[in-house]
């Protein structure tokens, strides 16, 4: 079974600083990988996804993520954080074989200081 | 485009009461899911339905039942609510071929007192 680990429960950055949120996955083959964002009181919105090909994927709102097979990681990055980026971020993995069920990490809460 | 619609948005129940959370999607997706979200626990899968007429247990199914009424609708029932079921519940849908991202409803905030 697949699993996802987001080692950071909270991350605090200053507005304008760069950001990296960590995600490690466990799966026997190359998985499908996703990053979602959740604003307070809202559902989850897809930021970006990796299926195959180029290991650096671009998403909405200026986010990008890099798939590193050797490290089983899919870290989310943004070069300059805006106050509106404060939210909960979830990494998710989907199996590429068998029953396809998205599995989510526990989330990282991003706090942005002015 | 409505996407995934959940009702109700908020609910307060007394211990032992029952209720059904409704979910409908208009994207013609085969798969539908119910997750619960608790602080520090992320999203945990309660039940899922890979296609119309099939349902399977997820990680935390105890105390819940589901019905895949048709391709559009997937309901979650609490037969006898307990305080441990206080949570935010999310319905989602996706294509069940690999790689289809999940689309989420706005959530139902349930409090059991």
């Amino acid at each position: 079974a697949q699993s996802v680990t987001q080692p950071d429960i909270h991350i605090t950055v200053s507005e304008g600083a760069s950001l990296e949120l960590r995600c490690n996955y466990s799966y026997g083959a190359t998985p499908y990988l996703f990053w979602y964002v959740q604003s307070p009181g809202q559902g989850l919105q897809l930021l970006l996804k990796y299926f195959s090909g180029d290991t650096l994927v671009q998403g909405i709102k200026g986010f990008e993520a890099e798939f590193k097979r050797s490290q089983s990681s899919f870290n989310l990055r943004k070069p300059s954080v805006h106050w509106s980026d404060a939210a909960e971020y979830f990494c998710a993995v989907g199996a590429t074989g068998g029953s396809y069920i998205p599995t989510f990490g526990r989330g990282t809460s991003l706090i942005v200081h002015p | 485009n409505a996407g995934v619609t959940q009702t109700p948005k908020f609910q307060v129940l007394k211990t032992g009461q029952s209720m059904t959370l409704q979910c409908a999607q208009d994207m013609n997706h085969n798969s539908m899911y119910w997750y619960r979200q608790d602080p520090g626990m992320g999203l945990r899968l309660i039940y899922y339905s890979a296609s119309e007429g099939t349902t399977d247990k997820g990680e935390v199914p105890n105390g819940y039942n589901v019905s895949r009424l048709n391709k559009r609708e997937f309901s979650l029932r609490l037969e006898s609510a307990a305080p441990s079921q206080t949570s935010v519940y999310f319905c989602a849908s996706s294509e069940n071929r690999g790689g289809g991202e999940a689309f989420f409803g706005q959530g139902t905030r349930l409090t059991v007192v």
Side-chain angles (χ1 to χ4, degrees), chain B residues 17-19 21 63-64 76-81 85 89 110:
Chain B
Q17 286 185 318
S18 63
M19 79 162 294
L21 281 64
Y64 305 95
L76 178 72
R77 182 160 179 84
L78 287 70
E79 292 290 352
S80 179
Q85 294 178 305
Y89 292 86
L110 174 67

Side-chain angles (χ1 to χ4, degrees), chain B residues 39-94:
Chain B
M41 301 298 290
L43 280 83
R44 293 181 292 171
L45 184 67
I46 305 171
Y47 271 93
Y48 68 98
S49 170
S51 62
E52 184 179 353
T54 68
T55 61
D56 285 287
K57 295 179 180 179
E59 180 184 356
V60 288
N62 291 345
Y64 305 95
N65 285 300
V66 291
S67 295
R68 183 75 182 265
L69 304 171
N70 47 56
K71 192 170 186 179
R72 290 187 64 249
E73 298 172 288
F74 187 39
S75 62
L76 178 72
R77 182 160 179 84
L78 287 70
E79 292 290 352
S80 179
S84 61
Q85 294 178 305
T86 293
S87 187
V88 181
Y89 292 86
F90 286 100
C91 177
S93 71
S94 75

Side-chain angles (χ1 to χ4, degrees), chain A residues 9-44:
Chain A
I9 298 174
H10 303 283
I11 291 281
T12 301
V13 299
S14 298
E15 192 170 15
S18 63
L19 170 70
E20 182 170 34
L21 302 182
R22 296 184 290 166
C23 172
N24 292 96
Y25 68 89
S26 174
Y27 183 64
T30 300
Y32 299 111
L33 295 162
F34 311 89
W35 273 101
Y36 288 83
V37 61
Q38 183 185 33
S39 298
Q42 300 296 311
L44 278 71

Side-chain angles (χ1 to χ4, degrees), chain A residues 36 38 42 49 51 90 100 102, chain B residues 35 37 90 99-102 106:
Chain A
Y36 288 83
Q38 183 185 33
Q42 300 296 311
K49 57 187 179 184
F51 290 170
F90 292 94
Y100 174 74
Chain B
Y35 292 90
Q37 182 180 25
F90 286 100
E101 69 264 30
Q106 291 296 295

